[in-house]
Amino acid sequence: MFNEKERSGEFLPVQEVGRKLAVDERVLTEVDHLLAARRGPDEFAAAVLEDVQQNLVTAVQEAAMPYAVTTTRHEIVHDQETRRRTFRWLGKTAVQTAMSGYQYHYHPNAIKRVDVEVDEARFASETLRPGIAQVFISPRMSRKDASLDDARREHLGDDDAVRVSWLEGAQGADQCRVLQSLLVRDVPLEAWVRMLADPDNIFGKSIAVEDEASALSVMKAHRELEIETDKLPKGPVTILEEVVRHIEDGPTRQKVEAQISKYYGDQKLMKQQAEFKATQWLEFERELAESLAQGSPTSQIKGFIASLQSVWNETELEVISRHSLGYDLEYVMTRELAVVLEKMKQNTLWGGAAVLSGNTAVVRQIHSGELTQIRHNEEAMFIAYSQGQDVSALMAQNSRLIGGANIKVGGGCAGTNDRSHEFDPTRPFDPMRQEQKPSDAAAPDNWESNPNSRKYKKGVCQVRSCATRPGVTEVGPCSVCKSCQAKFDNGEDPTKEPVARTTTDTAEKTDLASGNLFEFHDKENEARQIVEQAFAEINIQEVEEEAQKNQELVLAAV
């Protein structure tokens, strides 16, 4: 349907041409959008922030609120030369936005699905008109299209997507395209095929598909799915009410009917909750984008790392430690490190949204004591957010509680974020599944599951302004003491505080490009010698030499 020039991104914005994202880097999608639109230090056009915020609201709803109906609005613009109409988002046309999907997929049939998405964007841009809605049905990949493992790796293995678009407002500057969408599970592919083939269906005609065993064929039928807007009083939910009649298996039909009933919930409240979490998420995305742009973490990113030092698992700590410069939570900021931080942020933020909205599949994974505290904190933050109050301390506490719970959460385009011990990338995450970890189970006594069991150790706090330096105190895995971590939790940055003369760390930072990270003066060495004598079991010199080697490896990799 489309040539390789389109698939390779020839018609995409310059910054996206030829770039195929690694699977792990998909989590940086919105960070990359911000980096591409960045005008200067933390400077973005208001329209860019609005579009990214809108994306994040949708992502929160899809990932944490399985029965939310998402609604987005897109600006209508006309090309100055051709006068052709299109819908614009983040400076890209609808077709360019659809083409960006080529960056994210690898399986041949997943790429063919992007072809159909591009065709749908073109068709809508050219033909969408007042009073008429266009329906797009995107079933999960069938076994004719891909194996279940491959489909899940493409984030196309479990959910069917249904979306409806129409024009809103009077023709002119105030007119926009409205797009409503939802995710649903358990609808058999045959039910979609039978619904389309039924001459008495909601579209008023029989619609044949070229291959009844392929979800791709159902997607290709989109040009036939135009309908008067007044026939879709519930938007995409109306389409679910139509297809459920064509599910022949009784238990399966009941499962889908149970899901449909949940879409009748308070959509306005779910939208408000998602906007609240998306605001927190956007702040983090801006900080992460800024950290990547400047090559070192901002104060907020430092605080995020420090606040979760009792939660990071060994794999995450290895990446964090390998990027550390050994003082004041300074790190060489790379995309590898950004992926680790973004994944944790998504897990803790989606988890909070899931608890706030009552997502039972997530709630069942959290022990009752932590669940009560998480829910209390989320409700308090939701109220404080509406009143413009600072919620840094509550947010840090909930991040630790949720991160330590090792939950599995997610769905839709954003994919699944899994920190559970039984992690299996091919295991389905079913919002209707009942056999979850019981909430009243005893909390296991190991640091990966229970952050409260994570023991601090004797060491020197790496925050140079810390009053305990150069002495030894209790520090966590990121070498931050409890006092400094508490400051980070409250939104403060102790690394910005003045360093007292009696505790001055006289390490001088030199040009990173030279590879010479630290030069220790006599006074610092003397202080460390005192520590070594007092704690003979701690060989500080070896630690420094190992840190030096790690930093040289990081710089070589960068």
Side-chain angles (χ1 to χ4, degrees):
M1 187 181 299
F2 298 100
N3 60 42
E4 291 305 316
K5 289 183 178 179
E6 290 178 312
R7 287 177 174 170
S8 65
E10 181 169 309
F11 305 109
L12 292 176
V14 174
Q15 65 268 20
E16 295 183 6
V17 171
R19 192 160 73 89
K20 194 82 168 177
L21 280 181
V23 173
D24 278 351
E25 292 190 13
R26 289 180 183 178
V27 299
L28 299 180
T29 296
E30 300 307 327
V31 172
D32 286 337
H33 287 150
L34 291 173
L35 286 170
R38 183 174 178 267
R39 294 174 171 179
D42 197 33
E43 183 181 353
F44 306 92
V48 169
L49 296 178
E50 290 173 5
D51 286 344
V52 172
Q53 169 90 3
Q54 181 172 258
N55 259 15
L56 296 177
V57 170
T58 300
V60 170
Q61 290 179 301
E62 290 185 350
M65 304 172 179
Y67 307 110
V69 178
T70 67
T71 303
T72 58
R73 287 173 169 78
H74 302 130
E75 175 189 15
I76 296 177
V77 296
H78 291 81
D79 185 274
Q80 293 183 352
E81 295 183 2
T82 66
R83 303 304 301 166
R84 289 181 178 177
R85 182 191 65 182
T86 188
F87 312 117
R88 188 172 292 277
W89 168 87
L90 275 176
K92 295 185 290 187
T93 68
V95 172
Q96 288 173 328
T97 299
M99 283 182 175
S100 66
Y102 293 123
Q103 296 177 269
Y104 302 100
H105 294 291
Y106 291 84
H107 192 281
N109 283 334
I111 293 173
K112 289 179 181 178
R113 290 170 70 101
V114 181
D115 291 344
V116 182
E117 294 272 0
V118 174
D119 182 61
E120 187 273 338
R122 283 203 179 109
F123 182 71
S125 296
E126 295 169 358
T127 65
L128 193 60
R129 54 205 182 276
I132 298 296
Q134 293 180 348
V135 178
F136 189 65
I137 301 170
S138 179
R140 60 196 179 278
M141 295 182 84
S142 66
R143 299 295 71 79
K144 177 71 175 290
D145 298 330
S147 70
L148 185 58
D149 289 0
D150 285 342
R152 285 178 174 151
R153 274 188 282 271
E154 298 285 343
H155 297 177
L156 298 170
D158 297 300
D159 301 301
D160 292 3
V162 181
R163 66 181 189 237
V164 178
S165 59
W166 67 90
L167 297 179
E168 180 180 81
Q171 188 168 0
D174 295 331
Q175 192 175 61
C176 67
R177 179 182 71 159
V178 179
L179 181 66
Q180 279 195 346
S181 61
L182 58 77
L183 300 176
V184 65
R185 298 198 171 197
D186 304 311
V187 178
L189 179 60
E190 312 87 74
W192 292 118
V193 173
R194 282 193 290 268
M195 181 194 76
L196 294 177
D198 185 356
D200 296 323
N201 63 29
I202 195 171
F203 302 101
K205 59 184 177 181
S206 178
I207 303 167
V209 299
E210 62 186 37
D211 186 347
E212 295 184 358
S214 171
L216 191 62
S217 294
V218 173
M219 294 175 66
K220 289 179 179 179
H222 71 88
R223 286 175 176 256
E224 301 292 327
L225 307 186
E226 292 192 326
I227 185 173
E228 293 87 350
T229 54
D230 57 9
K231 291 185 177 180
L232 296 174
K234 301 170 189 171
V237 179
T238 303
I239 301 299
L240 294 189
E241 294 172 337
E242 176 76 8
V243 74
V244 75
R245 299 190 298 107
H246 298 273
I247 300 176
E248 295 180 344
D249 179 68
T252 301
R253 183 171 59 254
Q254 290 175 3
K255 289 178 70 175
V256 176
E257 288 173 342
Q259 292 179 69
I260 292 174
S261 68
K262 294 179 183 295
Y263 290 109
Y264 301 148
D266 192 337
Q267 293 292 333
K268 182 178 179 181
L269 176 60
M270 283 188 276
K271 180 69 175 290
Q272 291 173 339
Q273 292 170 337
E275 289 173 343
F276 155 59
K277 302 306 292 186
T279 298
Q280 296 178 349
W281 195 359
L282 179 58
E283 291 174 0
F284 184 84
E285 301 299 86
R286 291 180 67 167
E287 296 296 335
L288 197 55
E290 195 63 26
S291 298
L292 283 168
Q294 69 186 21
S296 60
T298 63
S299 293
Q300 288 80 355
I301 295 299
K302 288 182 181 181
F304 185 73
I305 294 172
S307 292
L308 292 169
Q309 65 174 338
S310 63
V311 175
W312 300 112
N313 62 37
E314 291 187 4
T315 301
E316 293 160 340
L317 279 174
E318 188 278 327
V319 175
I320 293 171
S321 298
R322 183 157 38 84
H323 288 72
S324 174
L325 299 184
Y327 65 93
D328 277 349
L329 282 98
E330 291 292 345
Y331 297 89
V332 177
M333 200 69 206
T334 68
R335 291 181 69 83
E336 179 189 16
L337 179 56
V339 166
V340 169
L341 303 182
E342 178 65 28
K343 284 183 176 179
M344 177 64 85
K345 185 62 177 180
Q346 290 184 8
N347 186 271
T348 57
L349 187 137
W350 296 351
V355 171
L356 184 63
S357 63
N359 183 334
T360 55
V362 173
V363 166
R364 288 193 180 98
Q365 299 178 62
I366 305 174
H367 303 293
S368 57
E370 286 91 347
L371 178 62
T372 299
Q373 187 63 57
I374 291 169
R375 182 181 288 117
H376 173 80
N377 288 350
E378 288 295 336
E379 292 173 350
M381 284 192 289
F382 185 47
I383 296 172
Y385 157 75
S386 63
Q387 299 174 348
Q389 299 176 14
D390 180 62
V391 296
S392 298
L394 288 175
M395 194 186 309
Q397 184 183 56
N398 258 18
S399 292
R400 281 195 297 276
L401 288 170
I402 297 169
N406 291 322
I407 62 171
K408 184 174 184 179
V409 61
C413 294
T416 298
N417 189 302
D418 193 336
R419 290 181 59 81
S420 67
H421 293 301
E422 302 78 23
F423 174 63
D424 177 355
T426 66
R427 179 163 59 90
F429 176 51
D430 186 353
M432 302 295 288
R433 189 159 60 97
Q434 299 299 312
E435 54 276 356
Q436 304 283 352
K437 182 168 58 179
S439 60
D440 58 350
D445 187 22
N446 63 79
W447 66 264
E448 289 181 323
S449 297
N450 180 7
N452 293 324
S453 72
R454 185 75 179 269
K455 303 298 183 183
Y456 281 76
K457 62 181 180 181
K458 295 292 184 179
V460 179
C461 180
Q462 67 160 297
V463 177
R464 296 198 298 172
S465 65
C466 181
T468 67
R469 287 176 60 90
V472 169
T473 186
E474 288 188 326
V475 298
C478 292
S479 297
V480 177
C481 73
K482 295 179 180 179
S483 175
C484 289
Q485 178 177 321
K487 292 181 179 180
F488 280 120
D489 289 350
N490 288 323
E492 304 171 34
D493 183 359
T495 68
K496 301 294 185 184
E497 296 176 1
V499 182
R501 293 183 61 87
T502 56
T503 62
T504 299
D505 184 343
T506 54
E508 293 181 352
K509 290 178 283 183
T510 60
D511 185 3
L512 293 181
S514 70
N516 184 14
L517 300 178
F518 301 103
E519 291 181 2
F520 293 97
H521 290 296
D522 292 340
K523 188 174 181 180
E524 179 72 12
N525 286 329
E526 290 173 3
R528 292 191 181 277
Q529 288 171 7
I530 294 173
V531 174
E532 289 179 17
Q533 293 171 4
F535 296 89
E537 73 277 11
I538 302 176
N539 192 329
I540 298 295
Q541 187 64 35
E542 288 184 5
V543 172
E544 289 176 351
E545 290 174 357
E546 184 64 27
Q548 178 78 8
K549 291 177 183 179
N550 286 340
Q551 305 323 312
E552 290 174 354
L553 289 174
V554 170
L555 291 171
V558 174

